[in-house]
Amino acid sequence: MWRPHRFRFLVGAALLLLAPLLPASAQERVDVALVLAVDVSRSMSPEELQIQRQGYAAAIASPEVVRAINLGEHRRIALMMFEWANESHAREIVPWSVIETQADAQAFADKVLEDTTYGQRRTSISGAIRYASKLLDEAPYVATRRVIDISGDGPNNQGSPVTLARDAAVDRGYVINGLPLMTKGGIGFQFNIPDLDVYYRRCVIGGPTSFVIPVIEWAQFPDAVRRKLILEIGGRMPYQPPRVMKAQITFEEPYDCLVGEKIWRRLREQYFWDP
């Protein structure tokens, strides 16, 4: 006679026997699997790219971030970083790493500083979100939450509409947070929009507890990244710090999430230029 409970017992026993044969990382539980997606489009100068890299390293290795990790249920997170620009450019800077201690965080930060970045053409936020989603799909950890942390200094201007990539990631259960870089200058000023923070809130971020922290001046960057990491590690926002914008249902006028694509087409027609 077929006995479902006996079958379930046998399957469970088999999994227990096979568990020691699995890679250790595949069984490791973390409070959050966090992907740092860093914009390296040509709209940023080499100096700005270096400031960005140093800011991420300083934030990751900060005692405040390590303290936030130690407050979690498992007291560890999984972290990785990649750079992105056009739809076909996504390059790993630091692979998946488990961060538990100050030494772990410093080792990750050192790898960030050891790497070298060269600016790339175009800006495909949608491509970055899809790549980050793939990384989270394949992450070898049991994570309570899975988060994409994406920075950028301009709107999407290549690839599929950013809202399609955002919605697909949110449907997978991922959270997307934004760090719009609203600094002045840079060679790609033609692609700047004055309300990039609103664009990120309306078009890029999504999922429970998602938020935006704009960076107005480069001097603010390390502190903005540090605050953002602490919030993401904690998975909640007990209060609203200055310049933090939460995702929310809104009755505002519809926002044009294709503004970047339209700017690029207009400039291309005007200058026959493919930046």
Side-chain angles (χ1 to χ4, degrees):
M1 177 182 290
W2 172 251
R3 296 180 179 175
H5 64 282
R6 179 174 296 178
F7 176 76
R8 288 195 295 269
F9 172 79
L10 292 173
V11 170
L15 291 175
L16 287 174
L17 290 172
L18 289 172
L21 303 177
L22 296 174
S25 59
Q27 304 171 59
E28 193 154 16
R29 293 185 175 274
V30 295
D31 291 307
V32 60
L34 176 58
V35 174
L36 302 179
V38 182
D39 179 14
V40 296
S41 57
R42 281 185 184 170
S43 51
M44 288 193 285
S45 68
E47 293 76 19
E48 290 172 330
L49 291 174
Q50 185 62 20
I51 292 172
Q52 180 175 243
R53 183 176 296 277
Q54 292 171 346
Y56 269 108
I60 292 165
S62 68
E64 294 87 352
V65 167
V66 176
R67 190 177 304 120
I69 293 171
N70 291 331
L71 290 174
E73 178 184 0
H74 303 294
R75 298 187 177 185
R76 68 177 70 89
I77 68 169
L79 185 65
M80 77 87 58
M81 177 185 283
F82 77 94
E83 66 176 30
W84 63 274
N86 57 66
E87 191 175 25
S88 61
H89 182 78
R91 187 179 69 87
E92 182 180 282
I93 297 175
V94 185
W96 280 115
S97 308
V98 173
I99 311 296
E100 294 184 79
T101 66
Q102 183 68 55
D104 295 334
Q106 188 61 58
F108 192 102
D110 290 343
K111 291 177 183 177
V112 171
L113 293 174
E114 289 168 4
D115 191 79
T116 302
T117 290
Y118 300 96
Q120 303 290 324
R121 296 189 307 167
R122 306 293 293 275
T123 301
S124 181
I125 301 175
S126 57
I129 292 175
R130 284 198 307 274
Y131 187 79
S133 296
K134 182 175 182 293
L135 290 169
L136 288 176
D137 288 343
E138 300 171 352
Y141 307 99
V142 179
T144 305
R145 290 171 289 108
R146 295 177 181 254
V147 180
I148 299 169
D149 179 327
I150 189 162
S151 68
D153 71 340
N156 193 75
N157 64 37
Q158 188 191 45
S160 65
V162 66
T163 51
L164 295 181
R166 174 200 64 192
D167 293 347
V170 171
D171 286 346
R172 283 187 171 97
Y174 302 153
V175 174
I176 305 171
N177 296 323
L179 190 74
L181 308 176
M182 303 175 68
T183 56
K184 304 297 182 183
I187 61 175
F189 66 91
Q190 303 97 325
F191 293 92
N192 292 346
I193 58 175
D195 59 346
L196 186 63
D197 50 354
V198 179
Y199 172 87
Y200 262 70
R201 178 170 64 87
R202 300 288 296 274
C203 308
V204 178
I205 69 172
T209 72
S210 59
F211 61 90
V212 168
I213 297 183
V215 174
I216 309 302
E217 298 177 357
W218 280 111
Q220 302 171 341
F221 187 80
D223 181 61
V225 175
R226 181 169 55 250
R227 288 191 293 129
K228 194 162 185 282
L229 289 175
I230 292 170
L231 292 172
E232 289 165 334
I233 291 166
R236 58 186 182 273
M237 295 180 63
Y239 63 95
Q240 184 166 330
R243 296 299 300 173
V244 173
M245 303 173 68
K246 297 181 182 179
Q248 57 188 330
I249 297 174
T250 178
F251 296 99
E252 300 172 76
E253 291 294 321
Y255 190 92
D256 183 6
C257 291
L258 294 175
V259 59
E261 288 86 344
K262 292 177 179 178
I263 292 173
W264 182 82
R265 283 197 296 268
R266 173 172 54 80
L267 289 173
R268 187 181 185 188
E269 293 170 358
Q270 183 175 356
Y271 299 108
F272 301 100
W273 182 38
D274 184 9

